[in-house]
Amino acid sequence: MSRYVALMGDRQTGGRESSSPARTARRGAVVGAVAVVLVGAGASADAVSDTPVSEPVVSGAVVNSGHDVIVGITRNVVFPVTVTGSDDSGLSFADVDLKGPHGGFYTTDAFCETATSCTTTFTVNAHPAPGSDDPVDLANANAGTWSVDALVDAVDGDSVFAPGAGSFSLKRAAQLTVNAAPEPVAKGARITVTGKLVRANWDTYRYAGYAGRAVKLQFRPKGSSTYTTVATVNTSSTGTLRTTVKAVKDGYWRWSFPGSTTTGPAKAAGDYVDVRS
C-alpha cells in the first residue's frame, strides 16, 4: 500500500525521529546551548542531577473532529488530526502516524500551533492516480479501526512517543436509492418500495451491491419534517431492496442504512407518493 509522504523531510522509523532540516538544526542549537552553559558555569554533575526536569506529556489525539473518515472512489478526503499534551516549555513539533488493518499506513508532521496543541492534516484516497504504477492508497482490507501514534517534541528539546494516542474508524462510502410505485395511488392500496444499497469498492474504484445488510424503510408525511421507521428489510445478494406497504396518506418514502464497522451510513432522498381518496 502506498504511503502519504511526510510534508517535512523523511521519517527514520526505527528511531522515531524526523530528519527535517528545521528540526535537526533546532535540536543541534539546543544541545550546543546546554554544553556552553555547563562548561562556562563549571556546573557539577550533582548540581545538574538535582534540577527537576519536566517531561512532555501527550494527553490524546482527536481525528476528524471525532467523526468517522468516510472515503468514496473519486475524491481525496482531507481531515485533521489534533494531538494535545503539555510541557513546561510548551510543545513544538509532532510526527503523527496512522496505522490500520492489513498494513494501512499514513504519516505526516507539523509544527504545533499552541503550547498544548499540534494539528496536522492527512489526505487519503482510493482512486487511480494518473501516471502512477501504484495508483491506489487504500484497499478494501484497510477499512475498519485505525490507531494514532504520536512523537511530540517540546520547545526545550525533550521528546515523548505516545503509541495509541487515539483511534478512529476509516470507512467505505455507501449510497442508497429508492423508488415507490405506483404513484399516484388510491388510499388503502399497496405500494411497492424498491431500492439498492451499494458501497465503495476501493479495489476496483467502483460502487458495488452490499449484501445481507439490514436497512430501514422510513416514511415522512406531507407537511412534516420527521421520518418514522415502518419496516426493516435485508438487502439481497446484489444489494437490492424490496417490500410492499399500504398507502395511507401523502408523503415521502426512503431507505436508511445506519452503517457498519467498515462502511459509512447512507440515506436515500425521499420519493413522494400522492395518495388519493
Side-chain angles (χ1 to χ4, degrees), residues 180 182-187 191 219 222 247-253 271-277:
E183 47 186 315
V185 64
K187 185 176 182 179
I191 61 174
F219 177 72
K222 180 181 179 181
V248 177
K249 61 180 71 174
D250 295 347
Y252 300 84
W253 295 90
D271 186 17
Y272 182 75
V273 174
D274 179 17
V275 178
R276 299 179 179 179
S277 301

Side-chain angles (χ1 to χ4, degrees), residues 239-259:
T240 59
L241 294 154
R242 182 184 181 91
T243 192
T244 59
V245 293
K246 183 181 291 188
V248 177
K249 61 180 71 174
D250 295 347
Y252 300 84
W253 295 90
R254 76 176 184 187
W255 295 104
S256 177
F257 174 61

